[in-house]
């Protein structure tokens, strides 16, 4: 048996195994662009190729002559494992890419703190733990705590332990999505402010006594105002009655009783010889008269009073 000389046979493939490229994670609403890259053999004449795209084994694009799959705006349903397949004309040669996981992230929103805002009042020495959560948002979600707008801690829980007055102030948490490593922006959600008021131990009784004292003081003030009002009302009525009596016509004087002395003041004038109209004042004279007593009552001596002008 004779053998021929060995002959080297080289088979040149039509195209290389495709590689699927695209972002592993992107935010909801962003465009998705996947590229199925395969290099044709330079030793073979160029031949048209067909491309197909799959998500979780289901055909989502193709067959088409373009090596790219474009989704204008992705949603949560577009998350999954993608792959592409390249076929020669007629389908004699088929080659598939490795899987590429794509995650569509939902931006964080509606961050809240438990116990809820707007205010929380505790006593000094009490343990306080605050929890931050979001209503929506794809993992991973990171949390940052702010005290009076300064970063103080990280994580969904803020354990303050036994607090003191220095823990008083406003607290907020910031929730953040990391949409991937392809340069997309970071999504943030800021919770409403929580006002934490720390009351020193033993001040509750003081507050109660202060409130009671304030109530008693208010009652005394009310009674004082009431008394002042009543007194003022009485004085006003008396003043009104006095004014009414002053306005009333005086009652006629009673006639003098028997035995009383009637006094009169007489001023005489004397006409001079200088002018018929000129007169001079004379010394005043005081006269009096006694009314005779009746019914046998003895007369009493009375004083004589004179008015001198």
């Amino acid at each position: 048996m004779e053998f021929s000389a060995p002959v080297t046979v080289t088979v040149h493939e039509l195209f290389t195994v495709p590689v699927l490229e695209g972002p592993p994670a992107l935010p909801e609403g962003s465009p998705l662009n996947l590229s199925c890259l395969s290099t044709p053999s330079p030793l073979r004449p160029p031949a048209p190729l067909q491309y197909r795209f799959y998500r979780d084994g289901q055909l989502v694009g193709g067959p088409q002559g373009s090596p790219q799959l474009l989704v204008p705006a992705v949603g949560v349903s577009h998350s999954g494992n993608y792959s592409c397949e390249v076929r020669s004309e007629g389908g004699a040669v088929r080659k598939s890419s490795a899987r590429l996981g794509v995650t569509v992230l939902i931006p964080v929103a509606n961050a809240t703190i438990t116990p809820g805002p707007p205010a929380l009042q505790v006593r000094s020495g009490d343990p306080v733990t605050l929890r931050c959560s979001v209503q929506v948002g794809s993992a991973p979600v990171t949390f940052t705590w702010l005290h009076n707008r300064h970063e103080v801690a990280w994580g969904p829980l803020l354990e303050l332990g036994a607090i003191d007055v220095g823990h008083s102030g406003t607290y907020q948490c910031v929730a953040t999505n990391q949409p991937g490593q392809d340069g997309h922006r970071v999504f943030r959600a800021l919770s409403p402010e929580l006002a934490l008021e720390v009351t020193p131990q033993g001040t509750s009784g003081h507050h109660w006594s202060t409130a009671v004292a304030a109530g008693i003081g208010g009652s005394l003030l009310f009674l004082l105002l009431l008394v002042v009002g009543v007194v003022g009302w009485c004085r006003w009525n008396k003043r009104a009655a006095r004014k009414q009596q002053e306005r009333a016509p005086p009652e006629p004087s009673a006639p003098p009783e028997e035995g009383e002395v009637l006094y009169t003041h007489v001023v005489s004038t004397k006409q001079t010889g200088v002018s018929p109209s000129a007169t001079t004042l004379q010394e005043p004279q005081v006269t009096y008269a006694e009314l005779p007593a009746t019914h046998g009552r003895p007369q009493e001596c009375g004083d004589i009073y004179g008015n001198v002008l």
Side-chain angles (χ1 to χ4, degrees), residues 121-144:
Q121 185 174 9
V122 295
R123 293 184 304 175
S124 178
D126 291 346
V128 173
T129 299
L130 302 179
R131 177 184 297 272
C132 184
S133 60
V134 293
Q135 185 175 1
V136 294
S138 299
V141 179
T142 59
F143 299 92
T144 304

Side-chain angles (χ1 to χ4, degrees), residues 238-282:
K238 290 181 179 180
R239 190 178 296 108
R242 188 180 302 111
K243 289 184 178 180
Q244 185 175 3
Q245 291 178 359
E246 292 175 355
R247 295 194 195 100
E251 297 181 358
S253 302
E257 297 183 358
E258 296 176 354
E260 292 182 346
V261 180
L262 297 179
Y263 296 88
T264 181
H265 180 207
V266 178
V267 179
S268 62
T269 60
K270 181 178 180 181
Q271 186 172 357
T272 62
V274 178
S275 173
S277 60
T279 59
T280 60
L281 297 176
Q282 300 297 323

Side-chain angles (χ1 to χ4, degrees), residues 87-275:
R87 296 185 181 184
S88 64
E89 188 177 14
V93 179
R94 302 179 181 182
K95 296 181 180 180
S96 298
S97 69
R99 293 180 179 180
L100 171 66
V102 176
T103 302
V104 177
L105 297 175
I106 301 176
V108 290
N110 300 332
T112 57
I113 298 178
T114 306
L120 178 63
Q121 185 174 9
V122 295
R123 293 184 304 175
S124 178
D126 291 346
V128 173
T129 299
L130 302 179
R131 177 184 297 272
C132 184
S133 60
V134 293
Q135 185 175 1
V136 294
S138 299
V141 179
T142 59
F143 299 92
T144 304
W145 288 93
L146 305 179
H147 178 216
N148 295 331
R149 302 187 180 275
H150 297 286
E151 294 186 3
V152 293
W154 294 265
L157 294 180
L158 177 61
E159 297 181 357
L160 299 178
I163 62 175
D164 54 27
V165 178
H167 289 96
S168 298
T170 58
Y171 288 84
Q172 284 182 293
C173 74
V174 182
T176 305
N177 275 90
Q178 193 68 33
Q181 301 176 357
D182 53 353
H184 286 87
R185 66 185 183 277
V186 176
F187 291 91
R188 302 176 59 190
L190 185 63
S191 72
E193 289 186 348
L194 169 66
L196 180 64
E197 180 181 356
V198 181
T199 304
Q201 289 285 358
T203 58
S204 58
H206 172 70
H207 289 167
W208 179 85
S209 60
T210 302
V212 172
I216 295 176
S219 301
L220 293 177
L221 179 60
F222 173 76
L223 291 177
L224 178 60
L225 293 177
L226 181 61
V227 172
V228 172
V230 171
V231 173
W233 181 79
C234 293
R235 290 184 178 178
W236 181 85
N237 281 346
K238 290 181 179 180
R239 190 178 296 108
R242 188 180 302 111
K243 289 184 178 180
Q244 185 175 3
Q245 291 178 359
E246 292 175 355
R247 295 194 195 100
E251 297 181 358
S253 302
E257 297 183 358
E258 296 176 354
E260 292 182 346
V261 180
L262 297 179
Y263 296 88
T264 181
H265 180 207
V266 178
V267 179
S268 62
T269 60
K270 181 178 180 181
Q271 186 172 357
T272 62
V274 178
S275 173

